[in-house]
Amino acid sequence: MENKSRFPLGKLLIEKGIITPDQLAVALKRQKETGGLLGAILLESGFIDEETVFLPTIAGQLGIDFVRVKDMEIPPEVIGKIPAKFASHYKIMPVKFQDDTLTIATPQPSDVHVADEIGLIVNAKLDLVLASEKDVLEAIRRYYGVGAETIEQMMDTALPQPAAARQEVSNIEAIDSEASISKFLNQILLEACKDRATDVHIEPFEDELQIRYRVDGVLYDARVPKNIKHFQDAIISRIKILSNLNIAEKRVPQDGRFKVRVGDTDIDLRVSFLPTPYGESVVLRILNSARLFGLEELGLAGHEREILQGLLKKPHGIIFLTGPTGSGKTTTLYSCLSQINTGKRKIITIEDPIEYQLKGITQIQIQPAVGLTFASGLRSMLRHDPDVMMVGEVRDMETAEIAIQVALTGHLIFSTLHTNDAAGGVARLLDMGVEPYLITSTVECFIAQRLVRVVCPKCRQSARISDEMAREFSEEVKIDPGAVIYESQGCEACGFTGYSGRQAIYEFLVCSEEVRQLIMERSAASRIKKKAVELGMRTLRQAGWEKVKSGLTTPQEVIRVTKEE
């Protein structure tokens, strides 16, 4: 916004000692070249700060108050004074109602058209105050909910508008101006992408439709209007149309996928429907194929990276990744495949489902309904002369035996097992009925992993580890009682969670001669793990403590993800 008083903005800022004459000269020269607003140029140049300097100065010149909406708690009865569609369209936010006066925050308090329009729907005196546009838009999302104006406009019509025809890849940032289910769904997906969500959960209950985002492995409620329950069937049908699924079938689970574009990036969404008593529950997994991690980005320690690089150079054998669902096994597998995908080796994968599309790699989706299972797919893959194969998961004896036979004939195999730690992978194979000599002949390494949340760098603070936390680590880690760690209080940058992003911690059980001897003896997993630690293996908890010492995560987070050990 530009200054409306008779005093030039530049002169005013110089008189207040906020900018220097030289800075004003630079800004005026740039204004002459670009034709932009002087205030915007001063902000872009970093000469002034918007919330602490520029806007308070402008508010003083206009004779009005400046407010920070993000620091305010606004009662529901105040929010109800202005409809969502009106607040969103004019970028205004009601903040207080007192003595028959409604106080409205706006980035454009001098726009008489806005004041006139508000006066038509509000039976009260108006007091316009200045606020930053970013602050106002965030408040609209916080108090009205994502897509509230879209839902409100659709509620004004007799029926929800029909979903648009299916498009291959739509840009969800180019949201239509008209209210529709398509627009609302785009707003939900765009919000999820901006919040770094990996999943969107749409869950129907008797009297509400709940939407939640999974961010850094933890579910958070999305801020959405309560009346979206009226459009539950339309939202679900829209997702089915995009996924090319049967919209009439609501009694059995369905799976599909579709693509959207956010800016210049294509986002792949994997969709799963599950029937419940109150309608179909939907989970959309957000996959960004442009964000595949390199080995250097996985969080591997130096010696761990050396071990993995050595394993990737093996001409044959099996490398198993172990861990529960959501521990990042697939991401690590894809990073390994990308590393060796140089065009000199034939790589084939068989997966359920295919998470990311990798150029130069042949990928197969299993289809049990037509007889394409991991085991049958593995047999067929051999006829395509592969050098490297990836099996999404070894679930049964048949798949395990075939994978072992393939490794014995000179192929490098990557796969996963659902176990709590690396040594548990040995026990899992033995429980399936695999003979010990086959395990020792083929398996090169069991790698267990977990994902720990990274402390937000903007609000982290140093602290001392508590006695309770120290005792939790004491069995595997020697801790100095005065050790300095980092904790976070939560801030706007991390959504007040205290964490931003995740990193993996690893446990590498390399099948050395000593370990192979214990496998041949069918030793318990605990004994194998103990021997591996004696030989230098770093456990998950020890790897987690290294992340704590380096200030990347907290002791509580490491305990949380390694508790089952």
Side-chain angles (χ1 to χ4, degrees), residues 153-181:
Q153 290 175 49
M154 291 191 294
M155 289 292 288
D156 289 340
T157 63
L159 293 170
Q161 295 187 14
R166 181 173 184 249
Q167 297 178 345
E168 283 300 314
V169 182
S170 58
N171 189 338
I172 61 175
E173 287 191 316
I175 297 175
D176 295 335
S177 59
E178 294 185 5
S180 66
I181 290 298

Side-chain angles (χ1 to χ4, degrees), residues 206-223:
E206 185 175 7
D207 55 356
E208 68 172 329
L209 182 66
Q210 179 175 265
I211 297 182
R212 296 192 288 174
Y213 298 146
R214 187 179 294 279
V215 181
D216 294 334
V218 179
L219 282 170
Y220 299 96
D221 287 334
R223 298 184 293 264

Side-chain angles (χ1 to χ4, degrees), residues 36 44 69 76 103 150 178 217 297 301 316 324 372 376 398 423 428-429 484 511 527 554 563:
E44 291 170 4
V69 185
T103 303
T150 305
E178 294 185 5
E297 300 176 273
H316 52 78
L372 178 54
S376 63
E398 185 182 14
R428 180 82 179 97
L429 291 175
V484 176
C511 292
R527 187 180 172 197
T554 62
K563 245 178 189 176

Side-chain angles (χ1 to χ4, degrees), residues 144-380:
Y144 287 103
V146 180
E149 78 285 359
T150 305
I151 293 295
E152 201 169 81
Q153 290 175 49
M154 291 191 294
M155 289 292 288
D156 289 340
T157 63
L159 293 170
Q161 295 187 14
R166 181 173 184 249
Q167 297 178 345
E168 283 300 314
V169 182
S170 58
N171 189 338
I172 61 175
E173 287 191 316
I175 297 175
D176 295 335
S177 59
E178 294 185 5
S180 66
I181 290 298
S182 176
K183 178 183 176 183
F184 176 72
L185 182 60
N186 285 352
Q187 289 171 314
I188 290 293
L189 295 177
L190 185 60
E191 179 82 358
C193 292
K194 287 180 177 177
D195 287 350
R196 300 178 296 103
T198 55
D199 303 86
V200 178
H201 294 247
I202 303 175
E203 303 160 314
F205 296 98
E206 185 175 7
D207 55 356
E208 68 172 329
L209 182 66
Q210 179 175 265
I211 297 182
R212 296 192 288 174
Y213 298 146
R214 187 179 294 279
V215 181
D216 294 334
V218 179
L219 282 170
Y220 299 96
D221 287 334
R223 298 184 293 264
V224 293
K226 293 183 178 179
N227 51 8
I228 63 169
K229 178 69 175 176
H230 297 290
F231 299 92
Q232 174 180 318
D233 290 342
I235 293 168
I236 290 172
S237 294
R238 174 62 182 164
I239 298 171
K240 285 184 177 180
I241 289 170
L242 288 170
S243 307
N244 202 24
L245 297 175
N246 183 0
I247 63 172
E249 182 55 76
K250 300 179 180 181
R251 300 163 299 172
V252 298
Q254 293 191 74
D255 296 307
R257 65 195 308 153
F258 65 95
K259 282 187 178 182
V260 295
R261 184 172 293 122
V262 180
D264 298 327
T265 305
D266 282 354
I267 304 293
D268 209 0
L269 291 113
R270 200 180 78 217
V271 188
S272 181
F273 293 84
L274 201 63
T276 76
Y278 302 110
E280 290 175 282
S281 179
V282 190
V283 174
L284 297 97
R285 170 68 58 87
I286 300 172
L287 307 169
N288 184 356
S289 56
R291 190 64 187 96
L292 283 176
F293 291 91
L295 293 184
E296 66 282 354
E297 300 176 273
L298 293 178
L300 292 157
H303 71 283
E304 291 172 339
R305 194 180 302 119
E306 290 176 8
I307 293 173
L308 187 55
Q309 292 282 14
L311 291 170
L312 297 181
K313 293 176 183 176
K314 297 276 186 182
H316 52 78
I318 304 178
I319 300 168
F320 279 113
L321 269 86
T322 75
T325 300
S327 59
K329 301 186 299 297
T330 303
T331 299
T332 301
L333 281 177
Y334 278 116
S335 298
C336 292
L337 293 179
S338 297
Q339 176 81 7
I340 61 178
N341 184 26
T342 59
K344 296 181 180 179
R345 289 197 273 186
K346 172 84 170 183
I347 304 173
I348 306 179
T349 73
I350 181 163
E351 307 169 59
D352 181 30
I354 295 173
E355 297 269 357
Y356 299 99
Q357 304 285 346
L358 296 177
K359 187 176 181 180
I361 294 178
T362 303
Q363 295 173 271
I364 304 168
Q365 164 76 53
I366 73 164
Q367 302 284 350
V370 295
L372 178 54
T373 62
F374 281 121
S376 63
L378 261 173
R379 293 191 188 95
S380 299

Side-chain angles (χ1 to χ4, degrees), residues 2-10 12 57-58 60-63 110:
E2 200 60 88
N3 175 30
K4 299 293 184 181
S5 80
R6 61 188 178 89
F7 297 106
L9 176 63
L12 176 69
T57 301
I58 293 297
Q61 280 297 95
L62 294 175
S110 56

Side-chain angles (χ1 to χ4, degrees), residues 440-548:
T440 58
S441 301
T442 55
V443 180
E444 296 291 337
C445 187
F446 293 93
I447 307 171
Q449 77 173 80
R450 298 289 188 281
L451 293 175
V452 293
R453 291 181 290 172
V454 176
V455 176
C456 174
K458 294 191 176 181
C459 62
R460 72 175 191 172
Q461 296 178 347
S462 60
R464 297 287 180 182
I465 188 167
S466 67
D467 292 340
E468 183 183 355
M469 283 290 115
R471 284 193 296 272
E472 287 278 359
F473 283 94
S474 60
E475 289 186 10
E476 298 181 39
V477 181
K478 291 182 180 179
I479 296 177
D480 178 359
V484 176
I485 61 172
Y486 285 92
E487 294 180 345
S488 55
Q489 305 303 311
C491 64
E492 189 176 353
C494 61
F496 299 96
T497 64
Y499 298 93
S500 180
R502 289 188 290 178
Q503 269 203 11
I505 54 174
Y506 293 92
E507 179 179 284
F508 280 75
L509 174 59
V510 179
C511 292
S512 61
E513 286 305 316
E514 294 91 338
V515 170
R516 286 190 168 98
Q517 183 59 43
L518 291 176
I519 295 173
M520 289 297 294
E521 296 170 4
R522 294 182 179 268
S523 298
S526 57
R527 187 180 172 197
I528 294 173
K529 179 176 180 177
K530 184 178 179 181
K531 172 57 71 174
V533 170
E534 291 174 3
L535 295 171
M537 183 185 82
R538 190 171 69 166
T539 66
L540 284 169
R541 190 156 287 186
Q542 288 169 339
W545 177 246
E546 292 300 317
K547 300 284 187 189
V548 172

Side-chain angles (χ1 to χ4, degrees), residues 371-411:
L372 178 54
T373 62
F374 281 121
S376 63
L378 261 173
R379 293 191 188 95
S380 299
M381 286 159 64
L382 279 173
R383 292 192 281 273
H384 285 252
D385 188 28
D387 299 294
V388 180
M389 295 193 287
M390 192 265 274
V391 183
E393 182 186 350
V394 170
R395 299 175 178 173
D396 50 46
M397 175 63 175
E398 185 182 14
T399 307
E401 280 191 330
I402 298 171
I404 287 170
Q405 293 300 326
V406 170
L408 286 171
T409 55
H411 300 82

